[in-house]
Amino acid sequence: DSGVTQTPKHLITATGQRVTLRCSPRSGDLSVYWYQQSLDQGLQFLIQYYNGEERAKGNILERFSAQQFPDLHSELNLSSLELGDSALYFCASSPGWGLEETQYFGPGTRLLVL
Amino acid sequence: GENVEQHPSTLSVQEGDSAVIKCTYSDSASNYFPWYKQELGKGPQLIIDIRSNVGEKKDQRIAVTLNKTAKHFSLHITETQPEDSAVYFCAALPGNRDDKIIFGKGTRLHILP
């Protein structure tokens, strides 16, 4: 158990809909990272927040947005969902802000868009 | 931008033998190379990493080597055990801090009894 929690574990929705994925980092970690894992694209870094502020941006689509709240939990919002958005979404956390820090991954949220 | 190629995509080795997974990267400014292990139904877990100022790093049965000139790095697992069966990902972090970490496509390692 990494100490990172993600909810929900599974999510099934329809095209065009909007969903919110939630992540609670390990106690004391200030950085939260979001990743997408799909069969065709592999594991892709989406975005990083550090202590409430956006720190680094990866392959995050404009339809997707994220934020980190004062209690350090984070939410990833996916809107206007398409079939291709079906994937595993992982959250990770680390104590500091550097991308080279050890990141602890949560168990993931499996999203299925029908 | 950075591109990371990982080979092989699948690897089967006899228990007790060694396994080697190789990755190449394109951006010579990349300076950090982590390896992750992902077991079925779980998130990736960092198992070892290496920075560009080091050629080799070992941690018990796991080692990583880096050849900056050739722009490739490898994961070596010795005395493989059944619990080593998993998907392994390499990654590279470009030197430009505004850039993003790039992962290889993964290697599924099967340890045969």
Side-chain angles (χ1 to χ4, degrees):
Chain A
D1 184 3
S2 66
V4 177
T5 59
Q6 290 186 248
T7 56
K9 285 188 177 180
H10 304 276
L11 199 47
I12 302 175
T13 189
T15 54
Q17 294 298 305
R18 182 180 191 274
V19 297
T20 298
L21 313 184
R22 182 188 168 100
C23 169
S24 292
R26 293 187 324 153
S27 176
D29 284 358
L30 298 180
S31 272
V32 169
Y33 311 79
W34 285 98
Y35 293 87
Q36 180 193 59
Q37 186 175 39
S38 62
L39 280 174
D40 54 341
Q41 297 290 332
L43 192 58
Q44 290 196 93
F45 166 65
L46 295 179
I47 197 164
Q48 176 200 4
Y49 277 82
Y50 174 74
N51 205 20
E53 301 211 355
E54 184 183 305
R55 170 71 183 88
K57 208 165 187 175
N59 293 329
I60 190 165
L61 300 172
E62 285 192 12
R63 299 183 286 109
F64 297 179
S65 65
Q67 54 184 325
Q68 186 179 29
F69 294 87
D71 67 352
L72 300 177
H73 91 270
S74 178
E75 292 181 356
L76 178 67
N77 300 295
L78 315 177
S79 61
S80 303
L81 284 167
E82 302 175 358
L83 296 177
D85 298 327
S86 295
L88 264 171
Y89 291 84
F90 288 105
C91 164
S93 73
S94 70
W97 56 267
L99 284 174
E100 71 275 18
E101 285 209 344
T102 298
Q103 298 179 27
Y104 298 87
F105 281 74
T109 293
R110 185 174 294 276
L111 173 67
L112 180 60
V113 182
L114 299 175
Chain B
E2 176 63 283
N3 182 48
V4 176
E5 304 253 348
Q6 183 172 346
H7 299 281
S9 56
T10 306
L11 179 61
S12 297
V13 300
Q14 212 68 40
E15 182 178 347
D17 287 350
S18 295
V20 181
I21 302 170
K22 299 180 179 180
C23 288
T24 59
Y25 60 98
S26 59
D27 186 349
S28 57
S30 290
N31 56 12
Y32 175 65
F33 308 91
W35 284 90
Y36 289 87
K37 174 184 181 182
Q38 186 175 19
E39 296 175 331
L40 195 62
K42 296 185 178 180
Q45 178 188 6
L46 179 73
I47 55 172
I48 197 167
D49 56 14
I50 192 167
R51 284 168 171 77
S52 59
N53 58 347
V54 175
E56 182 176 1
K57 184 176 178 180
K58 289 184 78 171
D59 183 4
Q60 299 182 332
R61 297 186 297 108
I62 293 173
V64 56
T65 57
L66 172 64
N67 183 327
K68 285 186 65 179
T69 304
K71 290 189 282 187
H72 69 70
F73 56 113
S74 300
L75 178 71
H76 304 253
I77 307 174
T78 58
E79 300 171 16
T80 53
Q81 299 169 4
E83 54 265 35
D84 295 329
S85 292
V87 179
Y88 292 80
F89 294 93
C90 63
L93 180 64
N96 176 355
R97 286 209 167 247
D98 292 330
D99 215 331
K100 50 191 183 288
I101 192 163
I102 305 295
F103 289 84
K105 293 288 189 188
T107 296
R108 186 171 296 277
L109 176 62
H110 299 277
I111 306 301
L112 307 172

